Amino acid sequence: MATTLEAPKTPAPKTNRLGLQAVDYRGAKTTLCAGCGHNAISERIIDAMYEMGVKPERVLKLSGIGCSSKSPTYFLGRAHGFNSVHGRMPSVATGALLANSSMLGIGVSGDGDTASIGLGQFAHLMRRNLPLIYIIEDNGVYGLTKGQFSATADVGSKLKTGVINELPAINTCAMAVDLGATFVGRSFSGDKKQLLSMLKAAIAHNGTVMLDVISPCVTFNDHEGSTKSYKYVQEHEDSIGEVGFVPFFDDISVDYDPGTTYDVQMHDGSHLKLRKLHEGYDPTNRIGAVKALMEAEERGEILTGVFYIDAKRPSFIDSLNLAPEPLATLPQDRVRPPRRVLDEIMQAHL
Amino acid sequence: MATGEVALGKPAGAAAESLAASQPSTTKKVVNDFSIQVATVNGSGSQSANSVLLKSIFSMGIPVSGKNLFPSNIAGLPTWYTIRASKHGYVARKKEIDVLVAMNPETGREDMLSLPAGSAAIYDQSLNLKQYRQDVTSYPVPFDQLTAAVCPEAKLRKLVKNMVYVGVVAQLIGIDLQSAETSVRRQFARKPKAADLNWNAVKAGYEYAAQSLVKADPFFLEPMQATEGKIIIDGNSAAALGAMFAGVTVVTWYPITPSSSVVENLIGYLRKYRVDQDGKATFAVVQAEDELAAVGMVLGAGWAGARSMTATSGPGISLMAEFVGLGYYAELPGVIFDIQRVGPSTGMPTRTMQGDLLSVAYLSHGDTKHVFLLPASVEECYQFAIEAFDLAEQLQTPVFVLSDLDLGMNNWMSKPFEYPTKPINRGKVLTKEDLDRLGGFARYKDVDGDAIPYRTLPGTDHPRAAYFTRGSGHNEKGLYTERADEYQEVMERLARKFDTARGMVPAPELVQNGKSKVGLIAFGSSDFAVRESRDQLKKEHGLETDYLRLRAFPFSREVLEFVAAHDRIYVIEQNRDAQMLSLLKLDLPVKELSKLRSVRYFGGMPLDARTVTDGLVLQEGI
Ligand SMILES: Cc1ncc(C[n+]2csc(CCOP(=O)(O)OP(=O)(O)O)c2C)c(N)n1
Ligand code: SF4
Ligand SMILES: [Mg+2]
């Protein structure tokens, strides 16, 4: 294993613990609008995978349909990708990860893709706790179909055309906690540090990670009156805590004051360190998580941070008690029972 | 349904009916060639009794078939079970009922009125059904008294009563007691106490009939040797077995009649035979949130390299449309069992039909077409399940198996299934070593001239292994495109791939003598009725017919040759709109089209030979 700690004397290219460079994690050139929040998220995914030393060939990238769902093309070009149908990425991801549970799955969705057409599949994905990093690139509108409201638009939010949203927003984070996701957080595409830490922790988690990332649509929803604009989010963001993440292979300890941090040991031995900003916030308490989310909504604030984490509940794959090798490539003698089994069954039907 | 002459008798007084059978004129003895219909109330537990009847006849060596004609209801509505014994081996439904067992007070009158003259009826004496028909042999039986005598526990009497009719029927038609006892003991193999109770009930019915009823109908069973070594199984269990031996690893479903038992049986088999010694499963089963998710999981799993399947029926097929188009265009393997039932919409969920042909053939928007297989027996449900997995991976596309309720949920005689002789064929998959040698690959390129491209599986440890799968426009490298030439190139290859499939799917079965001018084309569960109808046409009308049984879509060359070789072609199918005829029309040269005629039935009951014969005779003008 290559070490990242020694300072290179010659300007040899920087590599991660696998000896891979950051460029090895890039994808195709983006075709999204310049300044689109989705692009920033792709960059953070690249950084997180690189820093965590994940081999790109071990990743499955999946998405539904939308501007957001296009983004898997723009990161990790060496990973198999699947741009599926609108709102149905969870089922494709479920099938793929059952076929090969040794892969790291990352799914990118939009707020339309998740909270409207895909709400049913979203709910059941959370409930199953499939090991998948599920990211909502949340801009409050349907970007790809040119700016109609989505179901995460806040009440009173205004479209460029002047149309005002009258319906309450679906709180995808509160829903995810309620439905059984075991890692739920919200971040902002413009908050490099927080988003990167969250993504790194997400990679270490074994279960469904649901990250709602506010990601302004500069073309259709970044104006005065939009509650998903860069300006509004910067002004109304309230973080419940700073997110620090120490991978299990990293021996540098982060100097958090133990009295003010919440330390969660992850499945693989990593540590998620959450600095408490909100008095007494306990990220392992589901009720507290939903309460904090609801209260922030009342106050008109956008709460960010890791709201809920359960590092113990078995994942969907664990609960199915699957053979350790990928089902996809089990040899014939493992999947076709011998002749005597057929004989036995035929005998029973004589 | 009534074919017999209906003779309404004067209602007799309650006490007027004698215990002995009334007796219309006795005709010639009919041996091993008649049908029994049991009319009961859904949920009354008659299934075991009917199964005992069926298996007893089977173990006497007589070819037999059983059909459950049940309502979409859990308990309370009328339900019928028909058993047909046929020394000729005809196993299609017989339209006429010869022996009725009327246990349902609500339908008793109607059941009685629908009988042909000369048939026999066994019924609870309180129903007094004799009043409706003088031309039917009547056997009134005091079921409640007989049941009470053998079953002290009042709660169980409703169930045990069914076994009493088994005994009565057995005595009257000549099922030997030995066969009956063996069947009862097998039915309750795990519950010896229940076995004793039920056996006593059979004996009570048998003894009552022997002492108090006088045999006056012509229907008799006599032992034969025609079922030796044969099995009895339903099509859905057979399909499940095929899937297991095909090496399925990811199974998804959303319950729907009549497909649920495919997966329910499969789960049973997998738990028993596909768990490693350390308790680890070599399969995953997911009950999905709906059919969209079920098929999405199938395609995701197929993409990642698993042998994946789901089972559904018409409403589920409709929901799967968008995803199946993705499967076609992005070239993803997966197997979808469609156990057809009566549509449109919810239709008649517990009745049978061949009504999904057109919607499956072209499921989804844009230019799409799909491979489907058409099993016509339980043995083919098993074989085609195995075949479907190989085809799906070889062709890299969703493959459908179109069974139906009649085939899937009813019990059929069959020779035992054969262990697969061919090894599992996983199609064109490039490994790390292949990529080392080739340096890279283009996902949607026709390398071999058969229009089937190569794929890699996620997780292949090579930096050039990855490609991007999408339902949006793509070129042969899998890259996004909106260019006309690149888009068309892929679409044209897909059309050629479909032509390749013609030579890979199961070829039709042909029965021809080379002289006949009339050809019949049929498929699936219609086969039983069509075979019998061909004999009827020959015997009753001197009409010799050739027969082609379709076994898959797209059609192979033999179909065109068969049509070309005949003057008139009758396409026999179970739907209103002649769906198979439409598919044939799209495929055949224009000069052949005027030969095509249609015989259709779409009432939801399993097809019977008489309906086919009548339809053909009318059009032939003979
Ligand atoms: C079945 C179906 N209906 C409608 C569409 C059209 N459509 C494409 S993207 C989209 C909305 C995307 O919104 P969102 O998920 O928020 O993604 P964004 O573009 O905002 O990133 C819609 C309605 C579609 N592709 N498929
Ligand atoms: S339209 Fe909006 S969401 Fe789509 S790419 Fe442009 S900025 Fe991003
Ligand atoms: Mg959006």
Side-chain angles (χ1 to χ4, degrees):
Chain A
M1 194 188 293
T3 164
T4 53
L5 298 178
E6 56 186 294
K9 286 185 198 93
T10 48
K14 228 177 121 192
T15 58
N16 65 6
R17 65 195 182 102
L18 298 179
L20 294 175
Q21 302 173 35
V23 292
D24 296 320
Y25 290 81
R26 295 234 176 97
K29 196 170 163 293
T30 179
T31 59
L32 301 179
C33 305
C36 174
H38 303 347
N39 286 330
I41 301 171
S42 295
E43 281 163 29
R44 296 296 82 71
I45 292 171
I46 291 172
D47 295 345
M49 294 286 179
Y50 168 75
E51 288 181 27
M52 288 292 282
V54 176
K55 198 170 188 187
E57 287 81 4
R58 304 300 311 157
V59 178
L60 297 178
K61 317 175 285 188
L62 303 118
S63 62
I65 294 292
C67 294
S68 37
S69 291
K70 286 185 176 190
S71 51
T73 319
Y74 315 134
F75 59 81
L76 264 60
R78 281 166 54 173
H80 274 74
F82 196 141
N83 188 192
S84 67
V85 289
H86 198 19
R88 324 283 178 200
M89 172 264 283
S91 60
V92 177
T94 305
L97 287 164
L98 289 175
N100 189 344
S101 59
S102 71
M103 303 294 285
L104 173 69
I106 178 162
V108 177
S109 180
D111 42 316
D113 199 62
T114 291
S116 289
I117 194 167
L119 200 58
Q121 293 211 351
F122 172 75
H124 288 273
L125 176 77
M126 299 299 124
R127 178 174 175 247
R128 292 192 181 103
N129 196 29
L130 180 82
L132 176 75
I133 303 168
Y134 187 96
I135 299 172
I136 307 175
E137 302 190 341
D138 188 355
N139 52 17
V141 287
Y142 293 0
L144 195 58
T145 50
K146 297 190 183 287
Q148 303 82 357
F149 273 127
S150 84
T152 66
D154 296 297
V155 176
S157 182
K158 204 195 265 177
L159 280 187
K160 258 181 158 174
T161 53
V163 179
I164 293 174
N165 176 41
E166 311 280 2
L167 296 174
I170 290 180
N171 191 327
T172 53
C173 290
M175 247 187 113
V177 173
D178 182 32
L179 289 165
T182 48
F183 187 128
V184 179
R186 183 183 289 135
S187 189
F188 171 46
S189 65
D191 188 339
K192 281 190 184 180
K193 197 165 153 248
Q194 185 196 45
L195 181 55
L196 180 61
S197 299
M198 267 197 215
L199 285 168
K200 285 159 76 174
I203 291 168
H205 183 68
N206 178 32
T208 301
V209 177
M210 205 303 277
L211 298 182
D212 176 37
V213 185
I214 311 289
S215 176
C217 168
V218 291
T219 306
F220 298 110
N221 204 17
D222 194 34
H223 49 86
E224 218 40 59
S226 159
T227 58
K228 295 261 192 310
S229 62
Y230 279 110
K231 187 152 173 276
Y232 188 92
V233 178
Q234 268 145 5
E235 282 167 7
H236 293 79
E237 183 188 348
D238 173 23
S239 174
I240 57 161
E242 274 172 32
V243 185
F245 180 73
V246 188
F248 77 104
F249 52 81
D250 209 341
D251 53 359
I252 329 161
S253 71
V254 182
D255 62 10
Y256 276 120
D257 177 348
T260 62
T261 61
Y262 209 103
D263 186 330
V264 185
Q265 171 143 20
M266 308 285 284
H267 200 81
D268 66 352
S270 317
H271 286 263
L272 177 65
K273 291 185 182 281
L274 303 166
R275 189 197 292 273
K276 296 174 191 166
L277 292 186
H278 279 213
E279 201 58 46
Y281 190 82
D282 172 1
T284 63
N285 181 337
R286 288 176 72 206
I287 298 167
V290 175
K291 186 163 172 274
L293 283 161
M294 296 288 161
E295 283 171 355
E297 210 173 87
E298 296 272 285
R299 293 195 303 270
E301 283 175 358
I302 301 164
L303 209 56
T304 65
V306 175
F307 306 129
Y308 180 65
I309 177 156
D310 175 355
K312 296 202 177 64
R313 185 186 154 200
S315 76
F316 189 50
I317 301 290
D318 298 333
S319 65
L320 287 171
N321 202 19
L322 300 185
E325 310 91 331
L327 295 181
T329 46
L330 288 174
Q332 176 165 322
D333 63 345
R334 295 281 299 284
V335 297
R336 173 173 285 172
R339 187 180 291 270
R340 70 171 161 71
V341 168
L342 184 64
D343 292 344
E344 182 184 315
I345 297 167
M346 290 297 100
Q347 200 63 34
H349 282 90
L350 277 178
Chain B
M1 254 179 44
T3 48
E5 204 177 298
V6 178
L8 276 174
K10 288 183 249 53
E17 212 163 0
S18 91
L19 274 182
S22 72
Q23 186 173 353
S25 61
T26 318
T27 42
K28 227 171 70 202
K29 209 169 153 184
V30 179
V31 179
N32 295 350
D33 189 13
F34 60 93
S35 70
I36 305 167
Q37 175 143 311
V38 182
T40 50
V41 179
N42 202 29
S44 64
S46 56
Q47 242 163 321
S48 310
N50 297 332
S51 170
V52 165
L53 266 181
L54 180 83
K55 302 227 165 120
S56 304
I57 299 172
F58 178 74
S59 68
M60 287 174 72
I62 305 162
V64 64
S65 62
K67 290 185 193 300
N68 198 0
L69 311 172
F70 62 110
S72 179
N73 157 267
I74 301 303
L77 288 185
T79 181
W80 294 268
Y81 191 79
T82 70
I83 294 173
R84 179 178 187 186
S86 166
K87 60 183 171 221
H88 310 290
Y90 295 139
V91 289
R93 184 170 71 92
K94 185 169 181 279
K95 219 170 173 179
E96 310 78 25
I97 296 151
D98 299 309
V99 178
L100 169 73
V101 182
M103 301 298 285
N104 185 352
E106 263 185 57
T107 61
R109 180 174 175 272
E110 204 191 326
D111 289 332
M112 192 71 174
L113 291 178
S114 72
L115 292 175
S119 54
I122 296 157
Y123 54 87
D124 193 273
Q125 70 180 31
S126 67
L127 297 182
N128 190 19
L129 294 183
K130 184 172 183 258
Q131 60 180 312
Y132 304 117
R133 295 289 293 269
Q134 302 305 319
D135 57 347
V136 167
T137 310
S138 295
Y139 299 108
V141 179
F143 280 109
D144 289 334
Q145 269 164 265
L146 295 173
T147 310
V150 292
C151 183
E153 215 175 315
K155 265 201 305 198
L156 294 176
R157 283 185 196 148
K158 197 176 103 181
L159 287 172
V160 171
K161 188 167 150 182
N162 296 312
M163 287 294 167
V164 179
Y165 75 63
V166 172
V168 175
V169 173
Q171 199 281 333
L172 284 172
I173 65 175
I175 292 176
D176 61 71
L177 271 179
Q178 174 79 51
S179 300
E181 180 165 12
T182 314
S183 306
V184 171
R185 303 241 174 249
R186 275 186 86 157
Q187 184 76 26
F188 300 96
R190 267 175 247 124
K191 301 177 200 151
K193 259 173 86 183
D196 288 341
L197 179 62
N198 282 286
W199 174 234
N200 286 337
V202 174
K203 275 195 300 190
Y206 194 93
E207 279 156 21
Y208 173 80
Q211 279 161 26
S212 312
L213 300 177
V214 179
K215 172 82 173 175
D217 66 76
F219 306 107
F220 289 91
L221 291 179
E222 283 170 13
M224 286 174 70
Q225 233 114 53
T227 66
E228 218 168 310
K230 294 253 168 78
I231 58 164
I232 285 196
I233 194 169
D234 60 277
N236 284 352
S237 297
L241 274 180
M244 175 168 74
F245 285 97
V248 70
T249 48
V250 175
V251 182
T252 69
W253 65 308
Y254 188 80
I256 183 168
T257 305
S259 75
S260 299
S261 58
V262 173
V263 177
E264 284 161 345
N265 284 308
L266 181 54
I267 292 171
Y269 292 135
L270 292 173
R271 285 201 181 138
K272 193 154 176 208
Y273 300 112
R274 286 276 300 277
V275 173
D276 288 343
Q277 258 155 15
D278 57 1
K280 298 282 182 190
T282 59
F283 64 89
V285 181
V286 186
Q287 186 182 323
E289 52 271 37
D290 54 30
E291 288 87 348
L292 283 77
V295 76
M297 290 174 197
V298 165
L299 296 178
W303 171 69
R307 293 209 135 184
S308 56
M309 65 164 271
T310 184
T312 189
S313 193
I317 291 291
S318 296
L319 284 184
M320 290 177 185
E322 188 190 19
F323 252 130
V324 169
L326 172 73
Y328 171 79
Y329 189 36
E331 303 183 59
L332 309 167
V335 175
I336 302 165
F337 290 87
D338 175 10
I339 316 301
Q340 299 167 93
R341 67 186 213 185
V342 171
S345 190
T346 303
M348 297 196 283
T350 58
R351 296 288 139 90
T352 194
M353 189 169 225
Q354 297 175 323
D356 298 349
L357 309 171
L358 281 173
S359 61
V360 166
Y362 300 112
L363 193 64
S364 205
H365 53 278
D367 286 322
T368 53
K369 34 191 176 179
H370 310 290
V371 174
F372 61 73
L373 309 185
L374 295 162
S377 63
V378 288
E379 196 182 11
E380 281 188 346
C381 287
Y382 166 79
Q383 286 170 350
F384 288 4
I386 300 176
E387 192 79 25
F389 283 93
D390 279 352
L391 283 170
E393 287 194 317
Q394 285 176 275
L395 289 164
Q396 298 174 29
T397 198
V399 170
F400 293 80
V401 182
L402 294 194
S403 173
D404 62 30
L405 183 142
D406 185 20
L407 204 49
M409 289 189 73
N410 286 320
N411 275 313
W412 300 90
M413 255 181 21
S414 169
K415 61 180 203 296
F417 305 156
E418 273 166 34
Y419 192 74
T421 47
K422 285 188 293 180
I424 287 172
N425 188 331
R426 313 243 26 206
K428 298 183 187 179
V429 178
L430 297 174
T431 61
K432 172 183 161 32
E433 292 69 34
D434 294 330
L435 292 166
D436 280 339
R437 186 166 42 82
L438 298 166
F441 85 115
R443 169 66 179 100
Y444 296 114
K445 194 176 161 73
D446 181 8
V447 178
D448 300 331
D450 57 2
I452 304 172
Y454 283 83
R455 63 177 182 142
T456 55
L457 301 185
T460 305
D461 191 15
H462 193 286
R464 310 292 290 269
Y467 66 93
F468 206 89
T469 299
R470 45 165 56 91
S472 46
H474 49 266
N475 62 19
E476 63 175 27
K477 293 194 177 103
L479 301 175
Y480 183 86
T481 192
E482 291 178 12
R483 276 178 52 168
D485 57 340
E486 289 188 331
Y487 165 78
Q488 283 178 319
E489 185 178 26
V490 170
M491 288 301 286
E492 273 160 9
R493 182 183 51 73
L494 282 168
R496 279 186 279 122
K497 186 168 87 167
F498 207 65
D499 276 332
T500 301
R502 289 177 196 272
M504 291 169 71
V505 298
E509 186 187 65
L510 271 166
V511 188
Q512 57 186 346
N513 58 21
K515 290 181 300 208
S516 181
K517 292 190 161 40
V518 175
L520 312 186
I521 293 182
F523 55 95
S525 66
S526 306
D527 181 51
F528 309 106
V530 172
R531 285 164 189 259
E532 189 179 343
S533 167
R534 290 183 66 231
D535 291 350
Q536 289 176 349
L537 288 165
K538 191 170 162 186
K539 224 163 73 194
E540 299 167 11
H541 303 275
L543 180 68
E544 294 259 11
T545 56
D546 288 342
Y547 176 32
L548 179 141
R549 180 166 68 82
L550 295 166
R551 302 206 301 165
F553 179 79
F555 307 121
S556 40
R557 210 177 359 90
E558 291 92 331
V559 181
L560 170 59
E561 289 166 3
F562 183 80
V563 174
H566 293 86
D567 292 350
R568 295 182 297 287
I569 294 286
Y570 289 90
V571 182
I572 300 150
E573 52 189 314
Q574 300 174 50
N575 58 63
R576 184 193 67 182
D577 290 346
Q579 298 190 22
M580 186 59 89
L581 187 90
S582 305
L583 288 176
L584 285 164
K585 276 186 178 167
L586 289 171
D587 218 52
L588 291 168
V590 177
K591 68 175 165 56
E592 304 290 355
L593 299 188
S594 60
K595 293 178 177 175
L596 300 179
R597 300 180 179 191
S598 170
V599 175
R600 301 181 302 279
Y601 169 77
F602 60 98
M605 290 291 168
L607 186 64
D608 64 278
R610 187 51 60 193
T611 298
V612 178
T613 303
D614 289 352
L616 235 132
V617 164
L618 195 73
Q619 293 183 61
E620 279 288 295
I622 48 178

